[in-house]
Amino acid sequence: MIKINDHFLDLKNSYLFSDISKRVSKFQKENPDREIIRLGIGDVTKPLSKTVVKALHNAVDEMASSETFRGYGPEQGYEFLIDKIIEFEYKPLGINLERSEVFISDGSKCDTGNIGDILDVSNTVAITDPVYPVYLDTNVMTGRSKIEFLPCNQENDFAPSLPKEKADMIYLCLPNNPTGTVLTKDQLKVFVDYAKANKSLILFDAAYESYITEENVPHSIYEIEGAKEVAIEFRSFSKQAGFTGTRCAYTIVPEELIGYTKNGGAINMHSLWLRRQSTKFNGVSYIVQKAAESIYTPEGQKEIKEYISYYMENAKIIRDGLESIGIKTFGGVNAPYIWLKTPGNLSSWEFFDLLLNEVGIVGTPGVGFGDEGEGYFRLTAFGSRENTIKAIEKIKKMTF
Ligand code: MLT
């Protein structure tokens, strides 16, 4: 008899964004003439930049010639990309990394899920609430059931408190998805100090760091002293350079990071992740890594800056528009997400239905990210300028 992984039965029926997409498809089928503006899933809408497209074409040409063709690449990623990441992303922050500490991958969603392979099922887990659903779901799938939620709400200014129970693993996503809020360096230091004192691991998702506009907001957890001993950092080209459909990301596992065996023996976690990746993953394609590398040319950097400002201008349009009709908003200053308090005390899903049915706008119900998200709603700044303006003008005409 085939036995399934019973833990899958502990999951909610479907993944949040698949659920939304099914509801929207149904609406579209029933209302084929209605225009729909999608500000739900955080998927980018601007095409790849000229420099990236050129790099892709060149890499394809290389693959077409027997002199320059490449098969399997190095499992951790090509040095040409790893070196650029170290030089452009970390050196300016005063962080020194070895090549061996950077693992190129096909996405932070996969990495934040897969990292669980090297962590014991008995670990206690602290997860902020609301939260990007992947952290919770992947732990549930594995059977890690001792989970403490750290509420983030208006009362605590979206700054989670330390876990009440001793946590072995702590997930932090900063700038935050879904609330778009951030922690200062001092606030983040509290978590690093906690992790050091309790031999915990911080899983730090920095997928949105390139959207930070304010000073004193850490771009990397390694800006905090001692963080290399306790943290793994996840970063991605998806939101930074429009790679959601192209797929390229990286994870930093410092050599100093120590985990413990059941008997309390200290083990270098870097070697475990290397073993996991070289066994289950064959790397990101050469073509895509060349595309990612191209964002570190002067022209590539200029394009990326323009790209990010375009979305951040959308964020401002959304915030200003909603605030002008008395809807309270959060985020959208250091992140491409706007977290709003639903008007008229509507529940998250009631507001979702209202927006979809009345004005054809798709957002994400806050409660889909956790109980603390009830009564909130997320809009993304990743739409086109035209659609963002249109959506906000439509919402401004609604009565709640
Ligand atoms: C989101 O909408 O929360 C993100 O796009 C999901 C993701 O990056 O996987």
Side-chain angles (χ1 to χ4, degrees):
M1 183 177 72
I2 297 169
K3 296 199 184 62
I4 58 141
N5 177 349
D6 274 5
H7 300 301
F8 273 68
L9 308 181
D10 300 330
L11 292 165
K12 287 209 183 108
N13 268 349
S14 62
Y15 182 61
L16 173 63
F17 295 107
S18 320
D19 191 11
I20 291 172
S21 148
K22 270 189 218 130
R23 285 175 189 239
V24 176
S25 301
K26 182 168 173 283
F27 176 83
Q28 203 154 36
K29 233 186 220 154
E30 289 164 4
N31 303 276
D33 302 329
R34 293 280 303 275
E35 183 195 18
I36 291 181
I37 300 179
R38 293 167 198 272
L39 302 179
I41 189 160
D43 195 5
V44 295
T45 50
K46 273 177 88 62
L48 295 172
S49 76
K50 282 200 183 71
T51 302
V52 168
V53 171
K54 196 160 150 234
L56 282 167
H57 282 301
N58 289 344
V60 168
D61 287 342
E62 284 185 67
M63 294 297 270
S65 146
S66 48
E67 273 82 58
T68 45
F69 168 78
R70 286 156 200 259
Y72 292 127
E75 283 133 353
Q76 261 192 263
Y78 284 100
E79 285 181 358
F80 62 74
L81 179 55
I82 291 177
D83 287 349
K84 290 283 173 9
I85 290 169
I86 293 173
E87 185 191 331
F88 281 82
E89 304 288 352
Y90 289 96
K91 276 233 170 87
L93 301 174
I95 299 162
N96 290 316
L97 292 177
E98 298 297 323
R99 277 182 181 153
S100 61
E101 297 177 305
V102 183
F103 293 78
I104 309 293
S105 78
D106 59 352
S108 289
K109 180 176 181 176
C110 328
D111 283 355
T112 52
N114 292 335
I115 200 77
D117 278 10
I118 64 167
L119 299 163
D120 191 71
V121 68
S122 71
N123 281 327
T124 51
V125 185
I127 300 183
T128 54
D129 178 5
V131 76
Y132 179 44
V134 172
Y135 316 146
L136 175 63
D137 284 0
T138 54
N139 276 290
V140 172
M141 282 175 184
T142 316
R144 239 173 252 116
S145 55
K146 289 180 269 174
I147 296 174
E148 177 179 341
F149 292 99
L150 311 177
C152 296
N153 46 40
Q154 269 173 273
E155 286 72 57
N156 61 16
D157 228 359
F158 300 95
S161 302
L162 288 171
K164 289 197 180 68
E165 303 293 327
K166 189 175 149 342
D168 302 314
M169 295 159 55
I170 304 168
Y171 286 83
L172 293 176
C173 175
L174 294 163
N176 188 255
N177 177 14
T179 64
T181 55
V182 290
L183 295 185
T184 62
K185 288 185 185 166
D186 286 346
Q187 287 173 313
L188 185 56
K189 183 176 182 307
V190 173
F191 279 86
V192 171
D193 291 346
Y194 172 93
K196 283 169 77 176
N198 291 282
K199 295 189 173 154
S200 323
L201 169 68
I202 299 178
L203 298 144
F204 191 78
D205 187 348
Y208 300 95
E209 69 73 35
S210 44
Y211 288 82
I212 294 171
T213 61
E214 290 181 322
E215 297 287 316
N216 201 29
V217 177
H219 287 250
S220 163
I221 193 163
Y222 306 122
E223 287 178 65
I224 313 298
E225 210 193 318
K228 278 191 183 175
E229 294 157 41
V230 291
I232 292 177
E233 178 163 295
F234 304 92
R235 291 238 195 149
S236 169
F237 293 99
S238 283
K239 315 293 156 91
Q240 182 186 26
F243 273 50
T244 51
T246 307
R247 310 307 306 150
C248 198
Y250 51 98
T251 289
I252 310 297
V253 187
E255 298 273 5
E256 289 99 312
L257 182 66
I258 298 295
Y260 298 88
T261 63
K262 286 200 178 66
N263 302 327
I267 296 278
N268 171 298
M269 292 189 60
H270 175 273
S271 61
L272 299 185
W273 185 240
L274 178 60
R275 186 70 172 85
R276 190 269 171 213
Q277 288 297 80
S278 47
T279 306
K280 290 196 181 179
F281 184 58
N282 251 340
V284 176
S285 76
Y286 173 73
I287 297 166
V288 167
Q289 291 191 60
K290 285 304 276 184
E293 182 203 20
S294 76
I295 74 158
Y296 298 113
T297 57
E299 195 51 33
Q301 287 286 283
K302 190 169 152 270
E303 288 164 356
I304 294 287
K305 283 203 181 87
E306 287 164 6
Y307 184 90
I308 290 167
S309 344
Y310 175 89
Y311 289 131
M312 288 313 275
E313 181 61 28
N314 283 353
K316 184 167 162 27
I317 292 168
I318 297 173
R319 276 191 296 119
D320 291 351
L322 295 176
E323 293 279 347
S324 77
I325 53 164
I327 294 180
K328 180 92 190 114
T329 67
F330 308 90
V333 176
N334 295 300
Y337 294 124
I338 291 88
W339 187 242
L340 62 102
K341 182 86 195 77
T342 57
N345 275 330
L346 292 171
S347 75
S348 298
W349 279 109
E350 280 168 349
F351 192 63
F352 175 90
D353 287 335
L354 189 72
L355 280 194
L356 183 59
N357 292 318
E358 283 203 10
V359 286
I361 295 167
V362 181
T364 311
V367 72
F369 297 101
D371 291 347
E372 288 287 327
E374 181 55 285
Y376 290 89
F377 199 76
R378 193 192 76 176
L379 289 175
T380 99
F382 287 127
S384 67
R385 177 64 44 79
E386 193 194 344
N387 276 347
T388 303
I389 295 174
K390 212 192 265 180
I392 292 306
E393 289 312 311
K394 284 184 180 207
I395 295 176
K396 279 161 77 175
K397 292 198 188 96
M398 292 174 79
T399 42
F400 300 107

